[in-house]
Amino acid sequence: MERLIDSLRLRHHLAPEDYATLLEGAAEGPLLAYAMQAAREVAVGRLGTGVFIRGLIEITNYCRNDCYYCGIRRSNRRVERYRLSKEEILACCRLGNTIGFRTFVLQGGEDAALSDDWIEEVVNAIRREFPDNAITLSLGERSREAYERFFRAGADRYLLRHETATREHYAQLHPAAMSFDHRMQNLRELKEIGYQTGTGVMVGSPGQTTEHLVRDILFIEEFRPQMIGLGPYIPQNDTPFAGSPAGSIRTTLMLLAIFRLMFPDALIPSTTALATLAPDGREQGILAGANVVMPNLSPPANRAKYALYNDKKATGLESAEGLRGLERQLNAIGYRISWERGDYRGPADGREATLRHEHTKE
Ligand code: SAH
């Protein structure tokens, strides 16, 4: 089966049944080790041993959606809700910039109280104060017009995981009011507008089969996102899926390796979910070819409230305060923090971007 890894490394593509073979083979130590080694050779060969850092600011935990897996779903009465003000967000950015972050990621639930005007204003304010930093948004589904306004105001990147590329599985994870087609449509719009676009899935989400994951791989292969976010599903006590087991770390690592071999230059984070589920999850993710980590830069008092899943890490090496510790941890496995902005504009075919940032001088 090692030859499948060699072939993926060479051609960046496999037949669907071969992806299935690799995913199912993730339980075998030697095969997973071989895949991870190939993936990190590719990553280090293309990108070196630097790992990009992104400051994650969780701006609101209000959400109008009711995703069955997510701890900040609308029906969860047990979360204390919060919403940061523009000034609080800017204060996080200032602190983050001083520490050395050159990318800010604004993530949140789909908070109906956050108007397009307000988000545009926040993006504008960050852009004015930090002209050289990247701004990433992860605020769920909005109108194309809204995405365009945020882009013009200076947002560079957008993260919107597709969660599953299988319509029936999407309906198992989300209430009927949420639309698979709408999410996919949004992803295409983001890319057309010119965002560096990120998508991805939870590994081992309830009802997920190998066949579903193969479809996710084929979707991502065709969509060619600049960023690919993968973490294990982790149950959250106050959701309908509280009793579903967490996803497999090994399958997550195999999937990371597959995507690194498929897209040698893509931005692939070693996610907080992976670091939460396994004590050495972050390092393992990097050793499987990931090249980004996203420490938490939210105000410490709010972090516990952004409880997507049980025991979510937001302190120590998962936090902005822990960068020295993170650097030591990376050094121990032969890597280091990269203080660069770390854009990835490809895989470019010149057809996608339709808008320009207003602040770029051309
Ligand atoms: N509202 C935004 C941001 C969602 S939170 C959006 O819809 O894009 C970011 C990601 O966390 C989600 O895309 C989902 O894949 C992941 N997530 C949510 N609940 C989770 C859980 N229980 N376990 C693991 N990951 C989870």
Side-chain angles (χ1 to χ4, degrees):
M1 279 195 279
E2 275 77 4
R3 72 175 176 82
L4 294 179
I5 306 282
D6 298 339
S7 171
L8 180 60
R9 180 174 183 168
L10 204 65
R11 287 179 267 279
H12 314 297
H13 171 77
L14 288 176
E17 59 275 19
D18 292 336
Y19 290 127
T21 303
L22 290 181
L23 290 169
E24 309 240 306
E28 292 167 34
L31 181 67
L32 179 60
Y34 190 86
M36 287 172 64
Q37 159 126 21
R40 72 177 171 266
E41 280 170 17
V42 166
V44 172
R46 295 291 275 252
L47 313 153
T49 53
V51 174
F52 298 118
I53 49 167
R54 319 301 197 194
L56 178 65
I57 309 170
E58 295 156 338
I59 67 169
T60 177
N61 71 353
Y62 283 90
C63 193
R64 62 188 168 92
N65 290 330
D66 225 4
C67 309
Y68 300 136
Y69 47 83
C70 182
I72 63 167
R73 64 199 299 269
R74 182 184 62 214
S75 301
N76 185 4
R77 296 278 125 74
R78 301 187 58 181
V79 259
E80 195 189 322
R81 303 285 170 171
Y82 75 91
R83 173 182 299 128
L84 302 186
S85 67
K86 178 176 149 191
E87 269 315 311
E88 285 173 309
I89 296 171
L90 283 168
C92 293
C93 293
R94 284 178 200 127
L95 172 67
N97 187 62
T98 307
I99 298 174
F101 288 99
R102 292 296 171 263
T103 295
F104 306 125
V105 182
L106 273 51
Q107 188 177 80
E110 290 191 17
D111 183 347
L114 299 191
S115 67
D116 295 347
D117 284 344
W118 185 85
I119 296 171
E120 187 181 12
E121 199 183 304
V122 172
V123 172
N124 243 312
I126 300 174
R127 176 49 64 229
R128 271 198 304 272
E129 193 168 334
F130 305 99
D132 299 327
N133 290 16
I135 303 172
T136 304
L137 300 178
S138 178
L139 301 170
E141 299 173 38
R142 312 213 50 125
S143 69
R144 180 181 182 121
E145 189 212 343
Y147 289 150
E148 290 182 349
R149 287 173 61 185
F150 307 157
F151 186 83
R152 285 204 187 88
D156 307 277
R157 312 183 187 136
Y158 205 103
L159 304 174
L160 185 74
R161 290 187 179 175
H162 65 286
E163 314 294 2
T164 172
T166 305
R167 184 183 300 278
E168 298 72 36
H169 187 221
Y170 189 90
Q172 279 176 267
L173 299 176
H174 304 96
M178 292 180 67
S179 153
F180 172 78
D181 292 317
H182 190 259
R183 202 163 183 91
M184 289 302 199
Q185 175 65 28
N186 274 182
L187 274 170
R188 285 189 292 273
E189 290 168 353
L190 289 164
K191 212 158 176 239
E192 275 169 24
I193 291 168
Y195 284 97
Q196 295 167 48
T197 304
T199 194
V201 298
M202 290 171 289
V203 179
S205 59
Q208 186 184 68
T209 62
T210 299
E211 202 183 312
H212 292 148
L213 277 179
V214 170
R215 276 200 215 116
D216 293 321
I217 294 173
L218 298 176
F219 166 70
I220 288 179
E221 194 175 335
E222 188 224 276
F223 184 68
R224 308 184 75 73
Q226 283 82 18
M227 301 171 284
I228 304 166
L230 305 167
Y233 162 74
I234 302 178
Q236 206 281 354
N237 286 339
D238 306 311
T239 63
F241 287 159
S244 302
S248 151
I249 291 172
R250 289 172 156 274
T251 309
T252 307
L253 294 173
M254 180 61 92
L255 210 49
L256 286 171
I258 289 173
F259 284 121
R260 172 56 68 214
L261 296 171
M262 184 181 277
F263 295 112
D265 301 300
L267 296 165
I268 304 181
S270 184
T271 51
T272 303
L274 193 55
T276 298
L277 202 56
D280 61 346
R282 189 184 312 97
E283 296 103 302
Q284 291 299 319
I286 288 158
L287 294 172
N291 63 335
V292 176
V293 290
M294 299 168 65
N296 200 306
L297 185 55
S298 307
N302 292 312
R303 286 184 198 167
K305 299 175 199 156
Y306 199 79
L308 301 180
Y309 43 81
N310 294 341
D311 306 317
K312 178 169 155 285
K313 282 203 177 182
T315 54
L317 305 195
E318 247 348 280
S319 70
E321 309 81 72
L323 281 193
R324 274 160 186 274
L326 177 65
E327 176 80 327
R328 273 196 300 275
Q329 191 187 57
L330 293 177
N331 290 165
I333 55 167
Y335 289 75
R336 60 184 172 78
I337 291 176
S338 165
W339 302 94
E340 306 288 305
R341 229 178 89 132
D343 287 282
Y344 173 48
R345 297 183 197 285
D349 58 12
R351 280 181 291 127
E352 279 148 3
T354 53
L355 291 192
R356 293 277 176 261
H357 287 124
E358 269 168 11
H359 61 275
T360 49
K361 305 169 203 81
E362 291 177 293

